[in-house]
Amino acid sequence: GENVEQHPSTLSVQEGDSAVIKCTYSDSASNYFPWYKQELGKRPQLIIDIRSNVGEKKDQRIAVTLNKTAKHFSLHITETQPEDSAVYFCAASPQGAQKLVFGQGTRLTINP
Amino acid sequence: DAGVIQSPRHEVTEMGQEVTLRCKPISGHDYLFWYRQTMMRGLELLIYFNNNVPIDDSGMPEDRFSAKMPNASFSTLKIQPSEPRDSAVYFCASSQAGGYAGELFFGEGSRLTVL
């Protein structure tokens, strides 16, 4: 079955700097790759997603890139702000299976 | 819509007791998912339903866990008997089109502590 690896597990950056979180997946047939943000004590919420027919997608300060050949995708956050501090999860959806397999999560801390 | 509603929000019980977690998905959503979150294992998919029918229960840890969805607006996850290693946050989520095509909407979670 699908396996998603996420790195790093923790990340600390200065406010205003950029943050990058990387994920790899095992099933080459997976075709949907969302990112979820979970603030402390809250539920995970979708922040951006990308499908396998697209290489990059951007929404204001966040962007996601996908490399199907290498089977990896990344989340980029620019001009980080304190409210970006949270746990971020990547996920992959195997083709033909209506489910999401999540990575282990990255705890991002923005230092003022 | 009020979103996905889970109860209880917190449950503390003793080893060996039965635990029942409840979920009301968003009206009109065809898919319902149960996830378990722990520090060690992250977000694990336990089981998911489509139109009230279980589709994939390969993530259910063992026979102590069972899940039902008797109708489109209600699902339960039961643990019997509970063990300390079951302590985790259990999330229910629903989706209109399935995980591969659209957004999962999570409930607030049920934090279970088994002593």
Side-chain angles (χ1 to χ4, degrees):
Chain A
E2 175 65 279
N3 183 51
V4 179
E5 298 284 338
Q6 183 171 346
H7 300 280
S9 56
T10 61
L11 180 61
S12 183
V13 301
Q14 289 298 119
E15 183 178 353
D17 288 350
S18 296
V20 181
I21 302 170
K22 300 181 179 181
C23 289
T24 60
Y25 60 99
S26 60
D27 184 355
S28 58
S30 289
N31 57 9
Y32 173 64
F33 308 92
W35 286 86
Y36 283 75
K37 175 183 179 182
Q38 185 180 28
E39 297 178 355
L40 188 62
K42 301 292 183 63
R43 72 190 84 188
Q45 291 186 292
L46 178 70
I47 55 172
I48 194 168
D49 57 12
I50 192 168
R51 302 191 187 281
S52 59
N53 59 346
V54 176
E56 184 173 356
K57 184 177 179 180
K58 188 173 182 180
D59 182 4
Q60 298 183 355
R61 295 187 299 107
I62 60 173
V64 57
T65 58
L66 171 64
N67 183 326
K68 288 181 59 181
T69 302
K71 291 189 287 187
H72 69 69
F73 56 113
S74 301
L75 177 71
H76 305 254
I77 306 174
T78 59
E79 301 172 18
T80 54
Q81 301 170 3
E83 54 265 35
D84 295 329
S85 293
V87 178
Y88 291 81
F89 291 94
C90 63
S93 186
Q95 189 175 34
Q98 287 77 28
K99 65 181 183 182
L100 288 181
V101 177
F102 284 89
Q104 290 292 91
T106 296
R107 181 173 299 279
L108 174 64
T109 302
I110 308 301
N111 301 309
Chain B
D1 200 313
V4 176
I5 300 173
Q6 291 187 246
S7 64
R9 291 293 311 281
H10 303 274
E11 175 90 8
V12 179
T13 190
E14 293 192 345
M15 182 173 63
Q17 296 298 304
E18 178 179 294
V19 173
T20 299
L21 308 179
R22 298 172 177 81
C23 176
K24 181 181 187 307
I26 293 173
S27 177
H29 281 193
D30 298 329
Y31 289 84
L32 183 139
F33 305 81
W34 283 100
Y35 281 89
R36 177 172 68 177
Q37 184 175 28
T38 61
M39 287 293 291
M40 292 298 295
R41 301 174 71 92
L43 274 167
E44 298 175 275
L45 177 63
L46 301 178
I47 186 172
Y48 77 97
F49 296 82
N50 176 216
N51 291 326
N52 314 337
V53 176
I55 302 301
D56 183 350
D57 66 353
S58 60
M60 295 287 262
E62 48 199 272
D63 292 345
R64 298 184 298 107
F65 286 69
S66 62
K68 294 182 180 179
M69 191 165 186
N71 57 62
S73 59
F74 184 66
S75 177
T76 60
L77 178 68
K78 186 175 293 187
I79 308 171
Q80 167 63 22
S82 58
E83 297 181 4
R85 60 191 167 124
D86 301 330
S87 297
V89 179
Y90 291 81
F91 283 102
C92 175
S94 70
S95 173
Q96 198 164 22
Y100 80 102
E103 180 177 359
L104 259 61
F105 292 85
F106 284 83
E108 302 243 27
S110 294
R111 180 176 294 278
L112 173 64
T113 302
V114 183
L115 303 174

